[in-house]
Amino acid sequence: LVCLSFPPQKPSAVEMSEMSEKSKQNVAYGLAWSYYVGYLKLVLPRLKKLMEEFSQANPNVLACRETWKLHILVPLSCDIYDDLEKADSNIQYLTDLAETTLTRAGIKKRVYKHSLYTIRDKDDKLWHCAVEYATPLQSLYAMSQDECAAFSREDRLEQAKLFYRTLEEILQGSKECAGTYRLIAYEESGEADAHFLSREILGHLWKQCHEEYTVHEGNQLHAPSLTSTELNLQISQSDLPQPLRSDC
């Protein structure tokens, strides 16, 4: 009778937002959307044209069309190298694709560009692709190093998983970006391995070149299998992140 007379009240939008902020659920969610809206949605639709132009001038470099994508590295440790050549000596910078210039947020002629890399496999065969880290992971790493953020290493791992899953879902629903990207999520083993990263990328390149059909991530035809150990991308809390605005 008491329960019927005084039914439990659902948390208000403001209370839900506050709980979400305290549990840090909105961090990765916001970073993923910002990364997509402020960068990937701008550059990915232009990528195929840039690859085509480069291939015409250098016909022997980008031989496999299925790899004409931006390969986005998502290390769950959030440990990012500014120089990929220092991360793995089998990865060497080749050149940059043509620049894309846009006026954004008051910045005149803002430049966006992608770097091509040469990746050497165990048989000394050379592969080429556009590859870069998902830069928002640097923010997650920096937060875990700053006492003011009160962001533990466990929080960082949870948020890295949520970032990957959110970004994957966003890109799968984007018609403009279909077939222009490849997400490479990985968790480095505890053992020292100087060529772990190059093998991880090579596994994705090999698979793209040898698949029976071209993979279009937006159609969800195929989920790439990871070349290293299978990742556990389950996050500890099943509740979906709440909107950043409390008045939604």
Side-chain angles (χ1 to χ4, degrees):
L1 290 176
V2 172
C3 290
L4 292 175
S5 301
F6 303 98
Q9 298 295 318
K10 292 183 179 181
S12 66
V14 174
E15 290 172 330
M16 288 292 293
S17 181
E18 289 178 351
M19 288 188 290
S20 180
E21 289 173 7
K22 289 180 180 179
S23 64
K24 304 182 180 69
Q25 288 180 320
N26 279 334
V27 175
Y29 186 73
L31 286 175
W33 271 103
S34 177
Y35 185 48
Y36 168 70
V37 175
Y39 178 62
L40 296 180
K41 191 176 181 180
L42 301 176
V43 300
L44 289 182
R46 298 173 170 83
L47 187 64
K48 292 285 187 181
K49 180 181 178 181
L50 298 178
M51 289 282 195
E52 181 72 44
E53 293 173 354
F54 181 86
S55 181
Q56 291 176 356
N58 305 271
N60 298 322
V61 177
L62 298 175
C64 180
R65 271 184 178 268
E66 282 68 26
T67 65
W68 289 14
K69 302 173 183 178
L70 182 61
H71 296 77
I72 304 171
L73 303 177
V74 185
L76 297 184
S77 67
C78 299
D79 192 5
I80 290 178
Y81 287 83
D82 289 327
D83 191 342
L84 277 171
E85 295 173 338
K86 292 182 179 179
D88 190 322
S89 59
N90 280 347
I91 303 175
Q92 296 294 318
Y93 169 77
L94 178 62
T95 188
D96 292 329
L97 293 175
E99 297 177 349
T100 297
T101 304
L102 300 172
T103 296
R104 294 279 295 174
I107 303 174
K108 294 290 186 179
K109 298 181 180 180
R110 185 168 185 174
V111 174
Y112 299 85
K113 66 179 180 180
H114 307 289
S115 295
L116 292 178
Y117 286 87
T118 299
I119 304 177
R120 185 183 302 274
D121 66 17
K122 63 180 181 179
D123 299 319
D124 285 335
K125 178 182 177 181
L126 301 181
W127 301 66
H128 303 90
C129 69
V131 58
E132 61 190 53
Y133 285 104
T135 52
L137 295 180
Q138 286 182 314
S139 297
L140 288 178
Y141 187 85
M143 288 177 67
S144 68
Q145 303 297 307
D146 194 319
E147 294 182 0
C148 295
F151 204 73
S152 68
R153 295 177 63 180
E154 291 73 19
D155 290 330
R156 185 180 71 196
L157 177 59
E158 294 292 296
Q159 292 301 306
K161 292 178 181 179
L162 181 57
F163 173 83
Y164 171 79
R165 292 172 56 181
T166 304
L167 182 61
E168 182 180 44
E169 182 178 350
I170 293 171
L171 287 171
Q172 285 175 347
S174 173
K175 294 181 179 180
E176 304 99 317
C177 299
T180 62
Y181 67 92
R182 185 87 169 191
L183 295 179
I184 305 179
Y186 61 91
E187 189 170 14
E188 293 180 297
S189 62
E191 302 177 359
D193 188 345
H195 302 303
F196 171 87
L197 184 55
S198 60
R199 285 203 303 273
E200 195 75 20
I201 299 171
L202 285 167
H204 282 263
L205 294 177
W206 186 92
K207 189 166 188 177
Q208 289 172 86
C209 290
H210 291 82
E211 285 171 345
E212 295 181 359
Y213 50 82
T214 302
V215 177
H216 292 289
E217 286 88 346
N219 295 332
Q220 297 181 310
L221 294 177
H222 179 76
S225 63
L226 299 168
T227 58
S228 61
T229 56
E230 201 68 28
L231 291 181
N232 176 17
L233 293 173
Q234 296 296 321
I235 55 178
S236 59
Q237 299 180 12
S238 60
D239 294 336
L240 292 176
Q242 301 299 314
L244 294 179
R245 292 179 53 189
S246 60
D247 60 343
C248 291

